[in-house]
Amino acid sequence: MEVIYLELSDGQSHKFYEMRVNNTEVTIRYGRIGTQGQTSHTTYDTPEKAQAEANKKINEKFKKGYVQTTLIEIPQFLRDLPRKFSPLKKLLEENLKPYIKITPGEKVGEMNTLSYPDATGDPLTLWQSKIGGNPYFPKGIEYPIDRITGQAMPLLIQINCADVPQIDGFDFPQQGILQFYLGFEPADAQCTPEKYQVLYFPEISEDENDLMTDFSFIENLGTIREFYGDVYPLSFSVRHDLFWESRYGYELEIPEELTELSEEFNQWISDYDYEHDTHIRGDKLGEYVDFHSDVNEIAEYAKGKLLLEFSHPFNSDDSFYFFIEDARLSNRDFSEVEFYFVCD
């Protein structure tokens, strides 16, 4: 699906125009910046006609002075912000931080034949973004082994980097395959590099003759497939949030005249987060961890910044965290990624 977002700010007007093209359907959302605006849907006979009409409308907007920019989804707390905090709103909006939201799709396969004798295996291609299943693995490379048990480590999660949008301040690869492998007992694996491994392949071959295709050597018994045998496809999108609980008093420069009001806001957002669980943003790449359970302690002593956080769809109480130093991420060096596991 193609999404184009335009804005017009000329001193008198502050408007947006969003165009989404999905096969034969064109969805237009427009209105004043800061509002939800109005939405219309039109279905055309063919995808080509839909695209042609979308291009025509976008070109008309360009002629009127609209410019293409990045769409920032407004976090729900800003929509619900009480009027008394209006003097803080501009500061809050300016300090929203981007992160990459990970969205698992519906379960498509099952690898654990011990629990599911009729397991379907992994129907996804070897180079797709996925949780579980069979990894992209070039021939001639040593497969990851749990050095404690001696068993081959199943794939925990795999990311085709071309699927991941870019965000400022997070130098994530734009191509290649990034993989996370895990040995048995996730709680024992944290801070134990012998029991987990992160691999990065900068180039992707879609010729299966170049790739390992027989993974029958990966056992179900005594590996994480005992617990996490399901296979899920993944998609990615850019989101923005304030991450107030992580940044207040450290990164935000609050003007002196707003100090007292910000302290009131701190109490309000804490209560709001607790009531709506908005501090639990879920699976993501980059920015800050979600503070819950023992995660705040992990965030304090973990080396580097958050690389990956996700809760397994099979058991949402099981959360996986990987951290990396900025320089290593920029150099595509994933040899010293730190891993932590939390079970709520």
Side-chain angles (χ1 to χ4, degrees):
M1 180 172 64
E2 181 182 13
V3 181
I4 298 177
Y5 180 77
L6 312 177
E7 287 187 355
L8 174 65
S9 295
D10 58 8
Q12 296 179 340
S13 300
H14 299 280
K15 300 183 291 186
F16 72 90
Y17 187 87
E18 178 186 302
M19 174 81 70
R20 294 176 182 258
V21 182
N22 187 8
N23 199 13
T24 60
E25 184 177 67
V26 175
T27 301
I28 298 173
R29 188 169 66 91
Y30 62 96
R32 183 169 55 84
I33 294 173
T35 70
Q36 281 296 298
Q38 303 178 54
T39 303
S40 66
H41 305 274
T42 306
T43 301
Y44 295 87
D45 294 336
T46 66
E48 291 75 18
K49 288 184 178 180
Q51 189 64 61
E53 188 61 28
N55 293 341
K56 177 182 176 182
K57 291 182 181 295
I58 290 298
N59 287 332
E60 289 174 353
K61 293 299 178 183
F62 282 145
K63 292 177 182 179
K64 292 181 179 180
Y66 280 79
V67 295
Q68 188 168 353
T69 185
T70 301
L71 172 63
I72 296 180
E73 297 286 350
I74 300 175
Q76 189 60 43
F77 84 88
L78 278 178
R79 304 183 195 278
D80 298 336
L81 192 69
R83 183 172 297 180
K84 67 180 293 185
F85 297 122
S86 295
L88 279 173
K89 190 171 183 180
K90 186 173 186 296
L91 175 71
L92 300 177
E93 290 174 341
E94 290 175 345
N95 281 279
L96 294 177
K97 288 283 189 177
Y99 66 97
I100 299 165
K101 172 71 175 175
I102 304 174
T103 304
E106 294 294 325
K107 174 183 171 179
V108 296
E110 169 60 54
M111 307 300 292
N112 189 347
T113 55
L114 295 174
S115 301
Y116 298 88
D118 57 347
T120 58
D122 180 2
L124 303 178
T125 65
L126 295 172
W127 45 83
Q128 279 186 253
S129 297
K130 63 177 84 171
I131 294 174
N134 293 323
Y136 174 93
F137 212 88
K139 292 178 179 177
I141 297 178
E142 182 182 0
Y143 190 87
I145 300 295
D146 182 329
R147 301 302 176 188
I148 307 300
T149 66
Q151 292 179 300
M153 291 192 279
L155 177 70
L156 177 65
I157 184 171
Q158 171 173 291
I159 297 171
N160 186 320
C161 301
D163 296 339
V164 179
Q166 285 185 277
I167 58 174
D168 292 338
F170 186 57
D171 191 13
F172 195 78
Q174 299 176 50
Q175 64 180 34
I177 295 281
L178 183 63
Q179 303 168 327
F180 301 80
Y181 294 86
L182 188 60
F184 194 49
E185 298 287 354
D188 293 340
Q190 63 179 16
C191 298
T192 307
E194 294 84 2
K195 297 185 70 65
Y196 70 91
Q197 193 166 345
V198 181
L199 296 180
Y200 174 61
F201 300 105
E203 302 292 337
I204 300 176
S205 170
E206 295 187 2
D207 183 350
E208 292 194 358
N209 293 319
D210 298 332
L211 307 175
M212 187 183 297
T213 56
D214 181 5
F215 296 95
S216 58
F217 60 88
I218 302 177
E219 301 179 37
N220 293 318
L221 185 63
T223 73
I224 60 167
R225 282 187 177 172
E226 279 195 34
F227 317 114
Y228 315 111
D230 300 343
V231 183
Y232 307 84
L234 296 174
S235 60
F236 306 87
S237 58
V238 177
R239 299 289 179 86
H240 292 77
D241 211 323
L242 187 62
F243 295 96
W244 180 266
E245 73 281 1
S246 305
R247 302 167 65 201
Y248 176 67
Y250 298 96
E251 292 187 11
L252 269 65
E253 296 183 4
I254 300 171
E256 185 175 351
E257 65 272 17
L258 295 177
T259 300
E260 185 175 341
L261 188 61
S262 71
E263 292 173 354
E264 293 184 46
F265 172 78
N266 185 51
Q267 183 60 55
W268 177 82
I269 193 65
S270 297
D271 294 340
Y272 182 90
D273 281 346
Y274 180 79
E275 181 180 354
H276 299 278
D277 275 344
T278 53
H279 63 300
I280 306 299
R281 301 164 189 86
D283 307 339
K284 62 178 174 289
L285 294 164
E287 271 318 323
Y288 301 89
V289 298
D290 292 342
F291 278 5
H292 59 96
S293 187
D294 299 324
V295 179
N296 55 338
E297 296 179 11
I298 290 174
E300 287 180 5
Y301 58 70
K303 186 168 60 177
K305 66 166 35 175
L306 180 68
L307 174 61
L308 168 69
E309 169 184 356
F310 86 103
S311 299
H312 203 281
F314 177 74
N315 185 349
S316 59
D317 290 336
D318 292 353
S319 298
F320 304 80
Y321 302 86
F322 295 85
F323 295 83
I324 190 170
E325 294 179 306
D326 283 330
R328 291 188 179 276
L329 179 59
S330 296
N331 291 328
R332 310 304 184 229
D333 176 5
F334 297 92
S335 62
E336 295 192 21
V337 171
E338 290 188 1
F339 166 67
Y340 298 90
F341 174 75
V342 172
C343 181
D344 288 333

